[in-house]
Amino acid sequence: MQIPPMKQLLTLARGLLLTGLLAGQPSPLPAQTDQPDHLRAEELMQIEIRLRQYTDEISSLEATLSGASAERLKRAERSLKAIGTRWNTYFQTRQSVIADDESLLDLLTHFEELQQETADSIVRQQQRLNELENFKRAERFIAAQDTVYKQLQRKALELSVAPQLAGELERLKGSEQLLLADIEGHYGRAEAASQTLPQLKKRMQALTEQYISLKTQSAQIQETVYKPFIERAKDYLLGMAAVAIVLMFVNAVVTKLKMLQQARENAKKYQDMLNQNNQDYPTI
């Protein structure tokens, strides 16, 4: 169900107020229609001044919310409630007069809209502060795991040298997976915060690089298994052979490029020599 806009709610409330008053509902101070015009005008002016004062108080309060700290937001919330309480107390004694004047009703609508907007601004700023705190907490937590994962990798390699240590290795893998889940939770909250707060974009990029590094180390730990010494030596030799092949390929490419460059230089020298010889022949 779609929620009606604030202006519609205020208009409805104003209509109910007028309807209730016209139906003869009791009011703390009924409108005195028999008072002289100049006294009536003076009362309306006093109400308007009071209403504008409350509106100005809320406007000044709202202007301080951008970038406010958590403590400042708490004080702002208390101030907003205090203004609302004072206004409600005053309104109870003047509601019949206000309901009888269109301009005062318009001011009342504006006041209540501003009051709601300010309350919403406090909530939004508090949410931004919460998101920022989540991001900072994720930064601290993920940065601290770099040393932890290096220790886990070293321990996993130590436990993979003997089949008798397979049970401990599996327990280490299980603990690492729990830690990774915690890391992913922090990273997810940081990512959500960066989408809400664009100023965190660069810091999020750095955090993502750290997160990817930890994920890579996690995969290496989970792939660690016991291998006999002969198989380890074979893997090592195969790795060294692969490196040697890559180096040979790179060396061949470099040599080929040098040969091509030398050929181009020789061709250019030969062309320059032909051009010089042609210039020595007499022309008719």
Side-chain angles (χ1 to χ4, degrees), residues 231-280:
E231 190 173 349
R232 290 177 182 275
K234 182 178 69 175
D235 290 344
Y236 175 77
L237 292 175
L238 288 174
M240 294 297 294
V243 172
I245 291 172
V246 171
L247 291 176
M248 289 175 59
F249 175 76
V250 171
N251 185 58
V253 170
V254 171
T255 301
K256 186 68 174 178
L257 290 174
K258 288 182 178 180
M259 291 174 61
L260 290 174
Q261 184 179 6
Q262 185 64 43
R264 283 196 297 267
E265 291 177 355
N266 292 338
K268 185 175 184 301
K269 290 178 180 179
Y270 180 73
Q271 185 65 41
D272 292 341
M273 183 181 65
L274 290 177
N275 292 337
Q276 185 176 2
N277 290 336
N278 290 334
Q279 291 176 359
D280 293 338

mmCIF file of all heavy atoms in Angstrom, residues 231-280:
data_model
loop_
_atom_site.group_PDB
_atom_site.id
_atom_site.type_symbol
_atom_site.label_atom_id
_atom_site.label_comp_id
_atom_site.label_asym_id
_atom_site.label_seq_id
_atom_site.Cartn_x
_atom_site.Cartn_y
_atom_site.Cartn_z
ATOM 1 N N GLU A 231 57.082 -36.660 -4.137
ATOM 2 C CA GLU A 231 56.110 -35.886 -4.915
ATOM 3 C C GLU A 231 56.351 -34.391 -4.765
ATOM 4 O O GLU A 231 56.206 -33.627 -5.720
ATOM 5 C CB GLU A 231 54.693 -36.243 -4.477
ATOM 6 C CG GLU A 231 53.620 -35.668 -5.379
ATOM 7 C CD GLU A 231 52.247 -36.178 -5.023
ATOM 8 O OE1 GLU A 231 52.132 -37.125 -4.215
ATOM 9 O OE2 GLU A 231 51.266 -35.608 -5.550
ATOM 10 N N ARG A 232 56.755 -33.979 -3.583
ATOM 11 C CA ARG A 232 57.065 -32.568 -3.377
ATOM 12 C C ARG A 232 58.281 -32.160 -4.215
ATOM 13 O O ARG A 232 58.304 -31.080 -4.822
ATOM 14 C CB ARG A 232 57.364 -32.293 -1.892
ATOM 15 C CG ARG A 232 56.156 -32.384 -0.992
ATOM 16 C CD ARG A 232 56.568 -32.174 0.466
ATOM 17 N NE ARG A 232 55.426 -32.307 1.334
ATOM 18 C CZ ARG A 232 54.571 -31.327 1.613
ATOM 19 N NH1 ARG A 232 54.767 -30.134 1.070
ATOM 20 N NH2 ARG A 232 53.546 -31.522 2.394
ATOM 21 N N ALA A 233 59.300 -33.039 -4.224
ATOM 22 C CA ALA A 233 60.482 -32.738 -5.015
ATOM 23 C C ALA A 233 60.142 -32.660 -6.497
ATOM 24 O O ALA A 233 60.645 -31.795 -7.224
ATOM 25 C CB ALA A 233 61.547 -33.810 -4.760
ATOM 26 N N LYS A 234 59.261 -33.591 -6.948
ATOM 27 C CA LYS A 234 58.857 -33.578 -8.351
ATOM 28 C C LYS A 234 58.122 -32.286 -8.686
ATOM 29 O O LYS A 234 58.364 -31.669 -9.727
ATOM 30 C CB LYS A 234 57.975 -34.785 -8.636
ATOM 31 C CG LYS A 234 57.547 -34.890 -10.103
ATOM 32 C CD LYS A 234 56.717 -36.139 -10.335
ATOM 33 C CE LYS A 234 55.376 -36.017 -9.640
ATOM 34 N NZ LYS A 234 54.488 -37.168 -9.951
ATOM 35 N N ASP A 235 57.202 -31.874 -7.798
ATOM 36 C CA ASP A 235 56.467 -30.621 -8.036
ATOM 37 C C ASP A 235 57.426 -29.437 -8.101
ATOM 38 O O ASP A 235 57.261 -28.528 -8.920
ATOM 39 C CB ASP A 235 55.439 -30.395 -6.921
ATOM 40 C CG ASP A 235 54.288 -31.393 -7.000
ATOM 41 O OD1 ASP A 235 54.142 -32.023 -8.069
ATOM 42 O OD2 ASP A 235 53.567 -31.535 -5.995
ATOM 43 N N TYR A 236 58.446 -29.496 -7.225
ATOM 44 C CA TYR A 236 59.406 -28.397 -7.207
ATOM 45 C C TYR A 236 60.192 -28.351 -8.518
ATOM 46 O O TYR A 236 60.377 -27.283 -9.119
ATOM 47 C CB TYR A 236 60.357 -28.565 -6.020
ATOM 48 C CG TYR A 236 61.471 -27.539 -5.982
ATOM 49 C CD1 TYR A 236 61.233 -26.240 -5.551
ATOM 50 C CD2 TYR A 236 62.765 -27.877 -6.392
ATOM 51 C CE1 TYR A 236 62.247 -25.291 -5.513
ATOM 52 C CE2 TYR A 236 63.785 -26.942 -6.370
ATOM 53 C CZ TYR A 236 63.520 -25.650 -5.926
ATOM 54 O OH TYR A 236 64.534 -24.711 -5.910
ATOM 55 N N LEU A 237 60.651 -29.533 -8.959
ATOM 56 C CA LEU A 237 61.422 -29.590 -10.200
ATOM 57 C C LEU A 237 60.572 -29.190 -11.402
ATOM 58 O O LEU A 237 61.047 -28.495 -12.308
ATOM 59 C CB LEU A 237 61.982 -31.009 -10.402
ATOM 60 C CG LEU A 237 63.064 -31.435 -9.397
ATOM 61 C CD1 LEU A 237 63.458 -32.883 -9.621
ATOM 62 C CD2 LEU A 237 64.282 -30.517 -9.502
ATOM 63 N N LEU A 238 59.305 -29.620 -11.400
ATOM 64 C CA LEU A 238 58.414 -29.227 -12.489
ATOM 65 C C LEU A 238 58.205 -27.720 -12.494
ATOM 66 O O LEU A 238 58.147 -27.086 -13.547
ATOM 67 C CB LEU A 238 57.068 -29.951 -12.356
ATOM 68 C CG LEU A 238 57.074 -31.450 -12.686
ATOM 69 C CD1 LEU A 238 55.719 -32.069 -12.381
ATOM 70 C CD2 LEU A 238 57.438 -31.668 -14.152
ATOM 71 N N GLY A 239 58.104 -27.166 -11.307
ATOM 72 C CA GLY A 239 57.951 -25.716 -11.221
ATOM 73 C C GLY A 239 59.171 -25.000 -11.742
ATOM 74 O O GLY A 239 59.070 -24.008 -12.477
ATOM 75 N N MET A 240 60.363 -25.511 -11.363
ATOM 76 C CA MET A 240 61.587 -24.900 -11.855
ATOM 77 C C MET A 240 61.717 -25.054 -13.366
ATOM 78 O O MET A 240 62.147 -24.129 -14.073
ATOM 79 C CB MET A 240 62.795 -25.555 -11.167
ATOM 80 C CG MET A 240 62.870 -25.275 -9.674
ATOM 81 S SD MET A 240 63.085 -23.506 -9.317
ATOM 82 C CE MET A 240 64.721 -23.232 -9.995
ATOM 83 N N ALA A 241 61.289 -26.220 -13.888
ATOM 84 C CA ALA A 241 61.340 -26.432 -15.338
ATOM 85 C C ALA A 241 60.402 -25.474 -16.061
ATOM 86 O O ALA A 241 60.735 -24.937 -17.126
ATOM 87 C CB ALA A 241 60.976 -27.882 -15.653
ATOM 88 N N ALA A 242 59.221 -25.263 -15.462
ATOM 89 C CA ALA A 242 58.270 -24.338 -16.081
ATOM 90 C C ALA A 242 58.853 -22.932 -16.125
ATOM 91 O O ALA A 242 58.724 -22.218 -17.129
ATOM 92 C CB ALA A 242 56.957 -24.348 -15.302
ATOM 93 N N VAL A 243 59.541 -22.550 -15.051
ATOM 94 C CA VAL A 243 60.168 -21.227 -15.024
ATOM 95 C C VAL A 243 61.250 -21.130 -16.078
ATOM 96 O O VAL A 243 61.392 -20.120 -16.781
ATOM 97 C CB VAL A 243 60.743 -20.938 -13.624
ATOM 98 C CG1 VAL A 243 61.575 -19.653 -13.644
ATOM 99 C CG2 VAL A 243 59.626 -20.822 -12.599
ATOM 100 N N ALA A 244 62.037 -22.225 -16.228
ATOM 101 C CA ALA A 244 63.115 -22.220 -17.219
ATOM 102 C C ALA A 244 62.562 -22.097 -18.634
ATOM 103 O O ALA A 244 63.109 -21.375 -19.482
ATOM 104 C CB ALA A 244 63.944 -23.496 -17.076
ATOM 105 N N ILE A 245 61.454 -22.807 -18.894
ATOM 106 C CA ILE A 245 60.828 -22.740 -20.222
ATOM 107 C C ILE A 245 60.351 -21.325 -20.518
ATOM 108 O O ILE A 245 60.526 -20.800 -21.623
ATOM 109 C CB ILE A 245 59.677 -23.748 -20.318
ATOM 110 C CG1 ILE A 245 60.235 -25.177 -20.306
ATOM 111 C CG2 ILE A 245 58.850 -23.513 -21.575
ATOM 112 C CD1 ILE A 245 59.165 -26.242 -20.215
ATOM 113 N N VAL A 246 59.750 -20.705 -19.524
ATOM 114 C CA VAL A 246 59.262 -19.331 -19.707
ATOM 115 C C VAL A 246 60.434 -18.400 -20.001
ATOM 116 O O VAL A 246 60.369 -17.541 -20.893
ATOM 117 C CB VAL A 246 58.482 -18.864 -18.463
ATOM 118 C CG1 VAL A 246 58.177 -17.375 -18.555
ATOM 119 C CG2 VAL A 246 57.196 -19.652 -18.323
ATOM 120 N N LEU A 247 61.542 -18.570 -19.264
ATOM 121 C CA LEU A 247 62.709 -17.717 -19.481
ATOM 122 C C LEU A 247 63.310 -17.939 -20.864
ATOM 123 O O LEU A 247 63.742 -16.982 -21.526
ATOM 124 C CB LEU A 247 63.762 -18.001 -18.406
ATOM 125 C CG LEU A 247 63.391 -17.560 -16.973
ATOM 126 C CD1 LEU A 247 64.467 -17.990 -15.991
ATOM 127 C CD2 LEU A 247 63.185 -16.050 -16.915
ATOM 128 N N MET A 248 63.339 -19.205 -21.327
ATOM 129 C CA MET A 248 63.842 -19.500 -22.661
ATOM 130 C C MET A 248 62.975 -18.836 -23.730
ATOM 131 O O MET A 248 63.486 -18.283 -24.709
ATOM 132 C CB MET A 248 63.883 -21.016 -22.887
ATOM 133 C CG MET A 248 64.960 -21.742 -22.083
ATOM 134 S SD MET A 248 64.865 -23.533 -22.276
ATOM 135 C CE MET A 248 65.078 -23.679 -24.049
ATOM 136 N N PHE A 249 61.670 -18.898 -23.526
ATOM 137 C CA PHE A 249 60.756 -18.285 -24.489
ATOM 138 C C PHE A 249 60.970 -16.777 -24.547
ATOM 139 O O PHE A 249 61.041 -16.180 -25.624
ATOM 140 C CB PHE A 249 59.313 -18.608 -24.104
ATOM 141 C CG PHE A 249 58.293 -17.920 -24.966
ATOM 142 C CD1 PHE A 249 58.033 -18.361 -26.251
ATOM 143 C CD2 PHE A 249 57.604 -16.804 -24.487
ATOM 144 C CE1 PHE A 249 57.091 -17.720 -27.046
ATOM 145 C CE2 PHE A 249 56.676 -16.160 -25.277
ATOM 146 C CZ PHE A 249 56.417 -16.624 -26.555
ATOM 147 N N VAL A 250 61.087 -16.158 -23.383
ATOM 148 C CA VAL A 250 61.306 -14.716 -23.330
ATOM 149 C C VAL A 250 62.622 -14.356 -24.005
ATOM 150 O O VAL A 250 62.707 -13.391 -24.775
ATOM 151 C CB VAL A 250 61.291 -14.222 -21.869
ATOM 152 C CG1 VAL A 250 61.727 -12.760 -21.793
ATOM 153 C CG2 VAL A 250 59.909 -14.389 -21.270
ATOM 154 N N ASN A 251 63.661 -15.153 -23.743
ATOM 155 C CA ASN A 251 64.969 -14.896 -24.339
ATOM 156 C C ASN A 251 64.914 -15.029 -25.863
ATOM 157 O O ASN A 251 65.513 -14.229 -26.596
ATOM 158 C CB ASN A 251 66.001 -15.871 -23.767
ATOM 159 C CG ASN A 251 67.411 -15.569 -24.258
ATOM 160 O OD1 ASN A 251 67.916 -14.464 -24.062
ATOM 161 N ND2 ASN A 251 68.038 -16.543 -24.898
ATOM 162 N N ALA A 252 64.162 -16.016 -26.347
ATOM 163 C CA ALA A 252 64.028 -16.203 -27.789
ATOM 164 C C ALA A 252 63.310 -15.025 -28.432
ATOM 165 O O ALA A 252 63.686 -14.552 -29.516
ATOM 166 C CB ALA A 252 63.279 -17.502 -28.073
ATOM 167 N N VAL A 253 62.280 -14.548 -27.771
ATOM 168 C CA VAL A 253 61.532 -13.399 -28.294
ATOM 169 C C VAL A 253 62.427 -12.163 -28.352
ATOM 170 O O VAL A 253 62.439 -11.418 -29.339
ATOM 171 C CB VAL A 253 60.276 -13.130 -27.442
ATOM 172 C CG1 VAL A 253 59.633 -11.810 -27.836
ATOM 173 C CG2 VAL A 253 59.283 -14.270 -27.585
ATOM 174 N N VAL A 254 63.206 -11.944 -27.291
ATOM 175 C CA VAL A 254 64.099 -10.779 -27.247
ATOM 176 C C VAL A 254 65.144 -10.873 -28.354
ATOM 177 O O VAL A 254 65.446 -9.883 -29.039
ATOM 178 C CB VAL A 254 64.765 -10.669 -25.865
ATOM 179 C CG1 VAL A 254 65.851 -9.602 -25.883
ATOM 180 C CG2 VAL A 254 63.730 -10.354 -24.795
ATOM 181 N N THR A 255 65.706 -12.065 -28.539
ATOM 182 C CA THR A 255 66.719 -12.249 -29.589
ATOM 183 C C THR A 255 66.128 -11.984 -30.968
ATOM 184 O O THR A 255 66.754 -11.333 -31.820
ATOM 185 C CB THR A 255 67.276 -13.686 -29.523
ATOM 186 O OG1 THR A 255 67.843 -13.908 -28.228
ATOM 187 C CG2 THR A 255 68.331 -13.904 -30.581
ATOM 188 N N LYS A 256 64.906 -12.482 -31.194
ATOM 189 C CA LYS A 256 64.241 -12.274 -32.483
ATOM 190 C C LYS A 256 64.000 -10.793 -32.744
ATOM 191 O O LYS A 256 64.216 -10.293 -33.864
ATOM 192 C CB LYS A 256 62.910 -13.033 -32.493
ATOM 193 C CG LYS A 256 62.194 -13.022 -33.835
ATOM 194 C CD LYS A 256 62.953 -13.817 -34.877
ATOM 195 C CE LYS A 256 62.168 -13.920 -36.166
ATOM 196 N NZ LYS A 256 62.908 -14.660 -37.228
ATOM 197 N N LEU A 257 63.595 -10.074 -31.725
ATOM 198 C CA LEU A 257 63.346 -8.638 -31.881
ATOM 199 C C LEU A 257 64.632 -7.898 -32.205
ATOM 200 O O LEU A 257 64.649 -6.972 -33.031
ATOM 201 C CB LEU A 257 62.715 -8.080 -30.593
ATOM 202 C CG LEU A 257 61.282 -8.523 -30.302
ATOM 203 C CD1 LEU A 257 60.828 -8.013 -28.938
ATOM 204 C CD2 LEU A 257 60.328 -8.019 -31.379
ATOM 205 N N LYS A 258 65.746 -8.302 -31.567
ATOM 206 C CA LYS A 258 67.025 -7.655 -31.856
ATOM 207 C C LYS A 258 67.463 -7.917 -33.299
ATOM 208 O O LYS A 258 67.989 -7.029 -33.977
ATOM 209 C CB LYS A 258 68.084 -8.163 -30.880
ATOM 210 C CG LYS A 258 67.918 -7.644 -29.459
ATOM 211 C CD LYS A 258 69.035 -8.154 -28.566
ATOM 212 C CE LYS A 258 68.908 -7.598 -27.149
ATOM 213 N NZ LYS A 258 69.987 -8.098 -26.265
ATOM 214 N N MET A 259 67.226 -9.151 -33.786
ATOM 215 C CA MET A 259 67.592 -9.487 -35.160
ATOM 216 C C MET A 259 66.772 -8.668 -36.150
ATOM 217 O O MET A 259 67.298 -8.164 -37.155
ATOM 218 C CB MET A 259 67.373 -10.981 -35.407
ATOM 219 C CG MET A 259 68.344 -11.885 -34.660
ATOM 220 S SD MET A 259 67.950 -13.644 -34.853
ATOM 221 C CE MET A 259 68.126 -13.807 -36.631
ATOM 222 N N LEU A 260 65.474 -8.521 -35.891
ATOM 223 C CA LEU A 260 64.624 -7.729 -36.770
ATOM 224 C C LEU A 260 65.068 -6.265 -36.788
ATOM 225 O O LEU A 260 65.079 -5.620 -37.839
ATOM 226 C CB LEU A 260 63.158 -7.841 -36.322
ATOM 227 C CG LEU A 260 62.497 -9.207 -36.542
ATOM 228 C CD1 LEU A 260 61.108 -9.219 -35.914
ATOM 229 C CD2 LEU A 260 62.388 -9.509 -38.042
ATOM 230 N N GLN A 261 65.418 -5.759 -35.628
ATOM 231 C CA GLN A 261 65.867 -4.370 -35.550
ATOM 232 C C GLN A 261 67.173 -4.177 -36.324
ATOM 233 O O GLN A 261 67.348 -3.197 -37.048
ATOM 234 C CB GLN A 261 66.055 -3.965 -34.088
ATOM 235 C CG GLN A 261 66.438 -2.509 -33.912
ATOM 236 C CD GLN A 261 66.586 -2.119 -32.445
ATOM 237 O OE1 GLN A 261 66.502 -2.980 -31.581
ATOM 238 N NE2 GLN A 261 66.806 -0.862 -32.183
ATOM 239 N N GLN A 262 68.084 -5.148 -36.207
ATOM 240 C CA GLN A 262 69.355 -5.057 -36.926
ATOM 241 C C GLN A 262 69.139 -5.142 -38.436
ATOM 242 O O GLN A 262 69.791 -4.426 -39.216
ATOM 243 C CB GLN A 262 70.286 -6.190 -36.471
ATOM 244 C CG GLN A 262 71.692 -6.118 -37.057
ATOM 245 C CD GLN A 262 72.429 -4.864 -36.602
ATOM 246 O OE1 GLN A 262 72.371 -4.503 -35.423
ATOM 247 N NE2 GLN A 262 73.115 -4.192 -37.522
ATOM 248 N N ALA A 263 68.201 -5.990 -38.847
ATOM 249 C CA ALA A 263 67.906 -6.112 -40.274
ATOM 250 C C ALA A 263 67.352 -4.809 -40.834
ATOM 251 O O ALA A 263 67.701 -4.389 -41.951
ATOM 252 C CB ALA A 263 66.928 -7.263 -40.505
ATOM 253 N N ARG A 264 66.477 -4.164 -40.071
ATOM 254 C CA ARG A 264 65.926 -2.882 -40.528
ATOM 255 C C ARG A 264 67.024 -1.832 -40.661
ATOM 256 O O ARG A 264 67.041 -1.032 -41.599
ATOM 257 C CB ARG A 264 64.822 -2.411 -39.565
ATOM 258 C CG ARG A 264 63.501 -3.130 -39.751
ATOM 259 C CD ARG A 264 62.378 -2.369 -39.080
ATOM 260 N NE ARG A 264 62.598 -2.295 -37.629
ATOM 261 C CZ ARG A 264 62.101 -3.166 -36.770
ATOM 262 N NH1 ARG A 264 61.402 -4.210 -37.208
ATOM 263 N NH2 ARG A 264 62.330 -3.034 -35.482
ATOM 264 N N GLU A 265 67.951 -1.828 -39.702
ATOM 265 C CA GLU A 265 69.042 -0.852 -39.747
ATOM 266 C C GLU A 265 69.949 -1.104 -40.964
ATOM 267 O O GLU A 265 70.377 -0.161 -41.643
ATOM 268 C CB GLU A 265 69.855 -0.918 -38.462
ATOM 269 C CG GLU A 265 69.095 -0.398 -37.242
ATOM 270 C CD GLU A 265 69.906 -0.541 -35.967
ATOM 271 O OE1 GLU A 265 71.017 -1.122 -36.032
ATOM 272 O OE2 GLU A 265 69.420 -0.072 -34.903
ATOM 273 N N ASN A 266 70.242 -2.385 -41.257
ATOM 274 C CA ASN A 266 71.083 -2.718 -42.418
ATOM 275 C C ASN A 266 70.410 -2.319 -43.723
ATOM 276 O O ASN A 266 71.061 -1.812 -44.656
ATOM 277 C CB ASN A 266 71.404 -4.207 -42.417
ATOM 278 C CG ASN A 266 72.321 -4.608 -41.272
ATOM 279 O OD1 ASN A 266 73.040 -3.762 -40.724
ATOM 280 N ND2 ASN A 266 72.318 -5.883 -40.915
ATOM 281 N N ALA A 267 69.106 -2.559 -43.787
ATOM 282 C CA ALA A 267 68.370 -2.203 -45.000
ATOM 283 C C ALA A 267 68.385 -0.697 -45.211
ATOM 284 O O ALA A 267 68.506 -0.204 -46.343
ATOM 285 C CB ALA A 267 66.944 -2.729 -44.914
ATOM 286 N N LYS A 268 68.265 0.040 -44.135
ATOM 287 C CA LYS A 268 68.272 1.498 -44.244
ATOM 288 C C LYS A 268 69.637 1.994 -44.715
ATOM 289 O O LYS A 268 69.750 2.888 -45.558
ATOM 290 C CB LYS A 268 67.926 2.124 -42.892
ATOM 291 C CG LYS A 268 67.782 3.631 -42.922
ATOM 292 C CD LYS A 268 67.331 4.150 -41.583
ATOM 293 C CE LYS A 268 67.088 5.669 -41.627
ATOM 294 N NZ LYS A 268 68.292 6.404 -42.013
ATOM 295 N N LYS A 269 70.714 1.396 -44.170
ATOM 296 C CA LYS A 269 72.058 1.793 -44.597
ATOM 297 C C LYS A 269 72.272 1.493 -46.082
ATOM 298 O O LYS A 269 72.873 2.287 -46.827
ATOM 299 C CB LYS A 269 73.094 1.062 -43.761
ATOM 300 C CG LYS A 269 73.160 1.512 -42.309
ATOM 301 C CD LYS A 269 74.192 0.705 -41.537
ATOM 302 C CE LYS A 269 74.245 1.157 -40.072
ATOM 303 N NZ LYS A 269 75.228 0.362 -39.285
ATOM 304 N N TYR A 270 71.786 0.333 -46.550
ATOM 305 C CA TYR A 270 71.945 -0.048 -47.955
ATOM 306 C C TYR A 270 71.190 0.917 -48.855
ATOM 307 O O TYR A 270 71.701 1.346 -49.902
ATOM 308 C CB TYR A 270 71.432 -1.472 -48.143
ATOM 309 C CG TYR A 270 71.547 -1.968 -49.575
ATOM 310 C CD1 TYR A 270 72.799 -2.291 -50.119
ATOM 311 C CD2 TYR A 270 70.418 -2.095 -50.366
ATOM 312 C CE1 TYR A 270 72.908 -2.734 -51.428
ATOM 313 C CE2 TYR A 270 70.523 -2.538 -51.675
ATOM 314 C CZ TYR A 270 71.773 -2.872 -52.212
ATOM 315 O OH TYR A 270 71.859 -3.306 -53.508
ATOM 316 N N GLN A 271 69.993 1.306 -48.434
ATOM 317 C CA GLN A 271 69.197 2.243 -49.231
ATOM 318 C C GLN A 271 69.877 3.609 -49.286
ATOM 319 O O GLN A 271 69.889 4.260 -50.345
ATOM 320 C CB GLN A 271 67.785 2.375 -48.629
ATOM 321 C CG GLN A 271 66.839 3.243 -49.445
ATOM 322 C CD GLN A 271 66.557 2.622 -50.804
ATOM 323 O OE1 GLN A 271 66.371 1.420 -50.918
ATOM 324 N NE2 GLN A 271 66.549 3.451 -51.842
ATOM 325 N N ASP A 272 70.440 4.025 -48.177
ATOM 326 C CA ASP A 272 71.145 5.317 -48.172
ATOM 327 C C ASP A 272 72.353 5.277 -49.106
ATOM 328 O O ASP A 272 72.679 6.255 -49.796
ATOM 329 C CB ASP A 272 71.600 5.643 -46.744
ATOM 330 C CG ASP A 272 70.430 5.936 -45.822
ATOM 331 O OD1 ASP A 272 69.333 6.234 -46.347
ATOM 332 O OD2 ASP A 272 70.620 5.872 -44.587
ATOM 333 N N MET A 273 73.054 4.131 -49.151
ATOM 334 C CA MET A 273 74.219 4.009 -50.036
ATOM 335 C C MET A 273 73.809 4.068 -51.500
ATOM 336 O O MET A 273 74.462 4.718 -52.320
ATOM 337 C CB MET A 273 74.937 2.687 -49.749
ATOM 338 C CG MET A 273 76.220 2.473 -50.567
ATOM 339 S SD MET A 273 76.996 0.892 -50.200
ATOM 340 C CE MET A 273 75.728 -0.210 -50.818
ATOM 341 N N LEU A 274 72.701 3.418 -51.888
ATOM 342 C CA LEU A 274 72.216 3.461 -53.258
ATOM 343 C C LEU A 274 71.838 4.880 -53.652
ATOM 344 O O LEU A 274 72.129 5.340 -54.767
ATOM 345 C CB LEU A 274 71.021 2.529 -53.436
ATOM 346 C CG LEU A 274 71.309 1.023 -53.366
ATOM 347 C CD1 LEU A 274 70.017 0.229 -53.481
ATOM 348 C CD2 LEU A 274 72.275 0.619 -54.481
ATOM 349 N N ASN A 275 71.190 5.583 -52.756
ATOM 350 C CA ASN A 275 70.783 6.959 -53.050
ATOM 351 C C ASN A 275 72.012 7.835 -53.280
ATOM 352 O O ASN A 275 72.029 8.704 -54.147
ATOM 353 C CB ASN A 275 69.935 7.522 -51.914
ATOM 354 C CG ASN A 275 68.591 6.828 -51.815
ATOM 355 O OD1 ASN A 275 68.113 6.255 -52.809
ATOM 356 N ND2 ASN A 275 67.979 6.867 -50.646
ATOM 357 N N GLN A 276 73.070 7.616 -52.519
ATOM 358 C CA GLN A 276 74.289 8.412 -52.654
ATOM 359 C C GLN A 276 74.987 8.109 -53.975
ATOM 360 O O GLN A 276 75.485 9.006 -54.652
ATOM 361 C CB GLN A 276 75.225 8.122 -51.475
ATOM 362 C CG GLN A 276 76.476 9.001 -51.474
ATOM 363 C CD GLN A 276 77.339 8.766 -50.260
ATOM 364 O OE1 GLN A 276 77.025 7.915 -49.433
ATOM 365 N NE2 GLN A 276 78.411 9.503 -50.151
ATOM 366 N N ASN A 277 75.017 6.837 -54.388
ATOM 367 C CA ASN A 277 75.627 6.464 -55.667
ATOM 368 C C ASN A 277 74.873 7.063 -56.838
ATOM 369 O O ASN A 277 75.470 7.504 -57.827
ATOM 370 C CB ASN A 277 75.684 4.956 -55.805
ATOM 371 C CG ASN A 277 76.692 4.320 -54.841
ATOM 372 O OD1 ASN A 277 77.632 5.011 -54.414
ATOM 373 N ND2 ASN A 277 76.509 3.049 -54.511
ATOM 374 N N ASN A 278 73.563 7.076 -56.764
ATOM 375 C CA ASN A 278 72.756 7.649 -57.847
ATOM 376 C C ASN A 278 73.032 9.124 -58.015
ATOM 377 O O ASN A 278 72.985 9.671 -59.118
ATOM 378 C CB ASN A 278 71.273 7.404 -57.591
ATOM 379 C CG ASN A 278 70.887 5.946 -57.738
ATOM 380 O OD1 ASN A 278 71.575 5.208 -58.475
ATOM 381 N ND2 ASN A 278 69.821 5.523 -57.064
ATOM 382 N N GLN A 279 73.331 9.805 -56.957
ATOM 383 C CA GLN A 279 73.589 11.240 -57.044
ATOM 384 C C GLN A 279 74.949 11.517 -57.709
ATOM 385 O O GLN A 279 75.202 12.604 -58.224
ATOM 386 C CB GLN A 279 73.584 11.866 -55.638
ATOM 387 C CG GLN A 279 72.193 11.871 -55.012
ATOM 388 C CD GLN A 279 72.235 12.398 -53.575
ATOM 389 O OE1 GLN A 279 73.300 12.724 -53.081
ATOM 390 N NE2 GLN A 279 71.050 12.461 -52.986
ATOM 391 N N ASP A 280 75.890 10.515 -57.756
ATOM 392 C CA ASP A 280 77.222 10.717 -58.360
ATOM 393 C C ASP A 280 77.194 10.602 -59.902
ATOM 394 O O ASP A 280 78.122 11.050 -60.567
ATOM 395 C CB ASP A 280 78.213 9.672 -57.811
ATOM 396 C CG ASP A 280 78.481 9.907 -56.320
ATOM 397 O OD1 ASP A 280 78.252 11.048 -55.862
ATOM 398 O OD2 ASP A 280 78.899 8.958 -55.632
#
